[in-house]
Amino acid sequence: MRYEFHAITMLIVALAAVAVIFLLRKSNRLSILIGLLSWIALSAYFIIEAVVIRATTAPYSFMNQPMSDLGVTACGTDTYVLASYAICSPYHWLMNWTFFLTGLAVLMGAVLLYPLWPKVRSAKIASIFIGIFGVSYGISGIIPADIHFYWHTFTALPGMIVQIPAMILISIAIYKKMPRLFWWTMICTTVTSAALFSLFLQPVLTSLPGGLLQRILYASVYIWLTGTAIGLWSRGYDI
């Protein structure tokens, strides 16, 4: 199917999701359940990415190539500015939908689970940052790198950074009331921060595996959100 069809469908789904979030924004058991399931579902990303990588018909390096290459809609070399190598991902549509739905799931959880956090300003700001992370990540699925490289890159940049202050602020909000979740958050914050720092060093230390570091950067957030949702669920929604 053509890129335009998928992009328009994603936008329709996004509008419908925003309407659902608006309707469910007040805390109730249904909204909390949807929020928890949204974050737990993030773990499916790893399975889908493995399927897409397996389907590629041009050599793909998990260690060195960015995740965005799996969503490139055309086969060949020079498909976008930085891709002088061959790319061919027949399941690019599945990867782009996964980027989009992953971002949407993050956003839904950020809004619907906000009532579970302590009523402090740091938790509110952190929830906004998590929502920005989700929006940033979701847009990368709507605009693949070969369709418009600069918009794809520009909109993805916030999602590489905002999760770190979000996790730090959540830690500040919960360190007294939820000590186990506090330490879980601190561990994941350390991992994603180290990955981001290493990516900044890659232009100098070219031997660093950029693809792997990018995956660690994002995977640490998915795993944190999934583990956080499970931890909140185990408390019976009663914070």
Side-chain angles (χ1 to χ4, degrees):
M1 295 183 184
R2 292 176 60 84
Y3 156 75
E4 290 81 2
F5 171 80
H6 290 290
I8 292 171
T9 306
M10 288 179 193
L11 290 173
I12 293 172
V13 172
L15 291 173
V18 169
V20 170
I21 292 173
F22 178 79
L23 292 172
L24 296 175
R25 68 191 186 285
K26 293 184 179 180
S27 178
N28 57 61
R29 293 193 65 84
L30 177 60
S31 64
I32 296 300
L33 179 61
I34 292 174
L36 292 171
L37 291 176
S38 294
W39 279 4
I40 291 172
L42 294 172
S43 56
Y45 173 87
F46 305 104
I47 298 172
I48 298 172
E49 187 190 61
V51 170
V52 175
I53 291 175
R54 187 175 179 83
T56 56
T57 55
Y60 180 83
S61 173
F62 178 89
M63 298 290 289
N64 297 306
Q65 285 183 245
M67 297 152 64
S68 294
D69 283 1
L70 297 172
V72 168
T73 64
C75 290
T77 56
D78 298 311
T79 52
Y80 64 89
V81 175
L82 300 179
S84 58
Y85 46 86
I87 295 175
C88 194
S89 179
Y91 285 4
H92 58 82
W93 59 271
L94 176 59
M95 197 71 252
N96 287 324
W97 270 99
T98 302
F99 290 149
F100 168 70
L101 292 175
T102 297
L104 190 58
V106 172
L107 175 62
M108 292 188 72
V111 176
L112 299 180
L113 297 181
Y114 170 68
L116 297 186
W117 299 119
K119 304 301 185 288
V120 294
R121 179 173 295 182
S122 60
K124 183 176 183 179
I125 298 173
S127 296
I128 293 172
F129 281 160
I130 295 170
I132 292 172
F133 174 88
V135 171
S136 171
Y137 195 85
I139 291 176
S140 66
I142 300 176
I143 311 175
D146 63 312
I147 298 299
H148 201 300
F149 174 75
Y150 295 105
W151 275 111
H152 174 86
T153 304
F154 177 76
T155 55
L157 286 176
M160 298 181 68
I161 300 170
V162 294
Q163 77 278 15
I164 296 174
M167 296 162 87
I168 292 172
L169 289 169
I170 284 292
S171 299
I172 293 171
I174 66 174
Y175 78 98
K176 288 183 178 179
K177 292 187 175 181
M178 292 175 267
R180 291 182 181 179
L181 194 54
F182 165 79
W183 286 111
W184 167 248
T185 301
M186 291 304 297
I187 291 169
C188 294
T189 304
T190 301
V191 173
T192 193
S193 299
L196 180 62
F197 180 71
S198 299
L199 280 172
F200 284 149
L201 292 178
Q202 196 190 21
V204 179
L205 302 176
T206 55
S207 60
L208 290 173
L212 178 62
L213 290 173
Q214 185 191 41
R215 285 175 168 82
I216 293 173
L217 176 72
Y218 289 116
S220 58
V221 183
Y222 306 155
I223 293 170
W224 171 62
L225 293 173
T226 298
T228 297
I230 293 171
L232 292 172
W233 198 326
S234 69
R235 296 174 66 92
Y237 315 164
D238 183 22
I239 304 302

